Amino acid sequence: MKLHTNLNRVIGIRSQMLYGHFIEHFHRQIYGGVYDPGSPLADEDGFRTDVIEAMKKIKVPILRWPGGCFVSSYHWKAAVGKERQPFFDKAWRVEDPNTFGTDEYIRLCRKIGCEPYICTNAGTGTAEEMSDWVEYCNLREEGRYARWRIANGYEEPHKVRYWSIGNENYGYWEIGAKPSGEWGRLVKESAKMIKHVDPTTELSAAALTDIHWNLELLEESGDFLDWISIHEYWDGIHQTNDYADYEQVMAYTHDIGHSIREVRGLLEALKLEKKIRIAFDEWNLRGWYHPNVHTVRQGITKEEYLYPRDKNDDNTEYTMADAVFTACFLNELNRNCDIVGMANFAPIVNTRGCIFTHSEGIVLRSTYHVFDLYVNYLGDVVLDTWSEEMPTLEVTSKKGEKLVIDALDLVVTKWSDRPGIALAVVNKDPDRTHSITLPLEVSGSRVMKYTVRGNSIESYNDVDHEEVRIEKTEPGMYEEGMEIMLEAHSINVIQIV
Ligand code: AHR
């Protein structure tokens, strides 16, 4: 494939928040994941130091919490201070120990060095409860909630800038789900109260790609919003856990950016694209496995809805399919960085996350190395590119559709603070090596290639088993028209510096 680019045709400077993450009170993400006071690997605050270090290495820029479905019946006031009781989490139908609340979450964010991003309860919660939360976190000492924070030992405000009003309140599965008209009004009233407490906050609201829902939401509350929140899990295996295989996953990469395109179109039609940005604040190839949890079938047992959740933590299932897909979506986020300002991989620890914890340490799954590659080796200025002679791949989707897709997926970047360019090029082909002819007019001489791949499409990482990592090679000095080989099922960052 011949690649063309123009160093002066800039799509945008991508926010580092495109590489954000999400953590929820679900299964072992918090308890037994990042927060494990009983572990010998925990620090004085109960956080797993190995997990913190792994999160710092991929420079987690923002961490969304506490949910997800969990938040739609969560009351933050019961989870601060010294007098706390375990509570029954009605979303996931399990007792929450309630030892991890707002103050512990802020401590976690400070240790990682990331922005907090709190999703509020718009299910059973109220505009007042949400704005009280902002008082607790952001007012210095005015009013009972800021004084409560001080009494709990936090003299300085938590300075939470990013807040989401609700989580998927459009969905039948969500506690406190609402029709669009009611939703727009609740968002407006909640946003009004939050902004009255702290006008420096940036607010998002739960939305989706449905034009009618979003139209009503934005007409009612667009003036109060800075973000619109959308989610996507392509392999929807919440009930079945029947993983799409490599070929089926490649089919998911076809039109991978449709949600962004649809929401962008609506924002532009409403002339809001300069005011409201997209927060893709939950995404992952794989839906989380939690069968039967949203059903109300009489007499359903924990064997049917609770115990199967352990199957999310089978590391052998997170292969090059997950890594290749993740890279393709990160490319799509970069290509749309003019309107997508935040994205949160869901989740970061355990379940479908890129970091798995066990009693003696952690496993960095294949997707972790993709984040490492993009965060640490790619530029921040995204350039316009076009290509000739793109190789193709014939695949069959999980639904049996036959598709012809591009075999390569790429984005070209440069740095805002130094010369050179960096290309992220994904070879989706399971079997064939492909080549790319580098663009002309590039300042830089040395070519270095950083590649994430395993021996096969089924390669994975597990305890005492590492197949997928970043490998560095140096193809040599740059020459115009230089050809670089891309191995099958690989994710590559090629730097010309
Ligand atoms: O499967 C996890 C759930 O997916 C999250 O809690 C929710 O936000 C989304 O529906």
Side-chain angles (χ1 to χ4, degrees):
M1 181 195 77
K2 288 181 183 166
L3 171 69
H4 301 279
T5 192
N6 180 322
L7 294 181
N8 300 313
R9 278 178 61 90
V10 172
I11 291 178
I13 294 185
R14 63 100 180 101
S15 163
Q16 63 176 13
M17 295 201 298
L18 288 189
Y19 304 122
H21 292 271
F22 170 53
I23 196 162
E24 178 166 0
H25 287 236
F26 174 85
H27 201 230
R28 295 194 318 115
Q29 295 177 29
I30 299 283
Y31 302 106
V34 69
Y35 186 65
D36 194 353
S39 165
L41 298 170
D43 65 12
E44 68 285 354
D45 294 315
F47 296 108
R48 282 283 294 261
T49 53
D50 46 355
V51 176
I52 299 280
E53 286 313 304
M55 292 169 90
K56 289 168 73 172
K57 185 168 186 285
I58 56 174
K59 299 187 176 75
V60 173
I62 190 165
L63 184 67
R64 179 174 178 255
W65 171 84
C69 294
F70 167 83
V71 77
S72 290
S73 57
Y74 176 67
H75 295 291
W76 70 269
K77 295 175 185 175
V80 293
K82 296 174 179 50
E83 301 302 315
R84 295 188 213 174
Q85 295 297 324
F87 61 82
F88 190 76
D89 163 10
K90 293 185 175 67
W92 298 120
R93 303 168 70 164
V94 65
E95 181 178 77
D96 187 294
N98 197 21
T99 52
F100 186 98
T102 304
D103 297 328
E104 290 73 26
Y105 164 67
I106 295 297
R107 275 179 180 263
L108 171 63
C109 291
R110 297 294 185 260
K111 288 174 186 278
I112 300 165
C114 71
E115 284 285 343
Y117 174 27
I118 293 180
C119 181
T120 62
N121 173 3
T124 62
T126 64
E128 188 153 39
E129 183 182 27
M130 296 180 210
S131 54
D132 291 349
W133 206 352
V134 179
E135 285 189 46
Y136 182 86
C137 290
N138 291 2
L139 294 185
R140 174 156 296 282
E141 54 188 4
E142 303 93 326
R144 60 183 294 192
Y145 297 109
R147 292 171 189 278
W148 191 14
R149 183 198 70 246
I150 294 167
N152 288 335
Y154 298 86
E155 186 73 27
E156 288 302 308
H158 289 332
K159 300 190 182 78
V160 180
R161 178 175 177 173
Y162 301 96
W163 296 82
S164 173
I165 298 170
N167 175 78
E168 300 186 357
N169 299 86
Y170 46 80
Y172 70 89
W173 57 84
E174 197 79 9
I175 290 175
K178 293 169 175 65
S180 53
E182 182 184 347
W183 178 242
R185 280 189 298 279
L186 175 61
V187 168
K188 182 168 71 172
E189 291 312 310
S190 306
K192 194 191 298 179
M193 290 186 78
I194 290 171
K195 291 280 189 180
H196 281 198
V197 170
D198 180 353
T200 70
T201 53
E202 292 195 27
L203 300 186
S204 175
L208 65 174
T209 53
D210 177 277
I211 191 167
H212 304 292
W213 174 279
N214 287 354
L215 198 54
E216 198 151 0
L217 168 66
L218 292 171
E219 283 175 339
E220 187 74 39
S221 59
D223 291 345
F224 294 83
L225 297 177
D226 309 283
W227 301 84
I228 186 168
S229 164
I230 56 174
H231 297 168
E232 192 154 0
Y233 296 91
W234 282 259
D235 197 23
I237 53 178
H238 305 80
Q239 183 63 26
T240 59
N241 212 35
D242 62 330
Y243 293 81
D245 64 23
Y246 186 91
E247 180 179 349
Q248 293 166 337
V249 170
M250 293 310 108
Y252 284 131
T253 68
H254 179 64
D255 199 16
I256 199 170
H258 73 94
S259 297
I260 296 171
R261 185 177 62 249
E262 290 160 28
V263 175
R264 175 198 287 271
L266 179 62
L267 289 172
E268 289 175 343
L270 294 173
K271 296 182 175 39
L272 287 172
E273 78 280 5
K274 299 298 182 202
K275 178 184 184 300
I276 293 178
R277 287 187 290 170
I278 296 172
F280 216 118
D281 56 22
E282 277 186 42
W283 70 272
N284 197 312
L285 164 64
R286 312 285 187 190
W288 306 1
Y289 183 49
H290 40 65
N292 309 311
V293 72
H294 299 312
T295 56
V296 290
R297 177 160 47 84
Q298 193 68 17
I300 193 169
T301 64
K302 289 185 178 179
E303 284 73 17
E304 294 175 276
Y305 72 78
L306 182 57
Y307 305 147
R309 292 173 195 174
D310 291 338
K311 291 182 180 175
N312 285 289
D313 284 337
D314 177 355
N315 291 315
T316 67
E317 295 288 1
Y318 303 102
T319 65
M320 285 311 298
D322 300 78
V324 166
F325 179 91
T326 296
C328 289
F329 191 62
L330 291 178
N331 281 353
E332 189 67 20
L333 292 171
N334 275 280
R335 283 189 288 262
N336 289 274
C337 66
D338 60 316
I339 200 159
V340 182
M342 179 194 314
N344 305 71
F345 189 63
I348 183 167
V349 179
N350 295 327
T351 312
R352 305 292 191 203
C354 57
I355 302 169
F356 168 79
T357 64
H358 57 95
S359 54
E360 284 82 45
I362 57 175
V363 173
L364 302 179
R365 290 170 171 166
S366 64
T367 46
Y368 178 90
H369 299 290
V370 176
F371 277 96
D372 186 356
L373 202 57
Y374 276 64
V375 165
N376 292 308
Y377 297 87
L378 206 53
D380 57 322
V381 182
V382 184
L383 302 176
D384 191 12
T385 63
W386 62 102
S387 60
E388 294 174 71
E389 301 159 22
M390 170 66 80
T392 59
L393 197 56
E394 289 186 15
V395 294
T396 303
S397 74
K398 215 173 188 178
K399 295 175 186 166
E401 302 159 288
K402 300 232 179 275
L403 297 168
V404 177
I405 64 171
D406 289 352
L408 304 181
D409 184 310
L410 69 106
V411 70
V412 179
T413 68
K414 65 180 182 182
W415 289 272
S416 50
D417 61 358
R418 58 185 188 272
I421 67 167
L423 301 69
V425 195
V426 185
N427 180 1
K428 299 187 255 183
D429 197 312
D431 306 307
R432 289 177 298 165
T433 296
H434 291 290
S435 70
I436 179 170
T437 304
L438 293 181
L440 309 178
E441 316 164 21
V442 175
S443 64
S445 53
R446 286 177 65 208
V447 181
M448 286 177 290
K449 186 171 85 165
Y450 302 89
T451 301
V452 171
R453 76 184 297 269
N455 303 324
S456 84
I457 57 175
E458 299 304 334
S459 289
Y460 65 89
N461 291 341
D462 201 348
V463 179
D464 300 329
H465 178 102
E466 189 191 55
E467 289 186 71
V468 184
R469 65 186 73 83
I470 294 178
E471 293 169 358
K472 176 184 176 182
T473 53
E474 292 206 38
M477 301 311 283
Y478 172 70
E479 293 170 7
E480 282 188 14
M482 186 176 186
E483 190 177 40
I484 302 285
M485 305 314 287
L486 306 167
E487 295 165 288
H489 57 78
S490 68
I491 301 108
N492 309 269
V493 167
I494 301 162
Q495 292 185 345
I496 307 173
V497 290

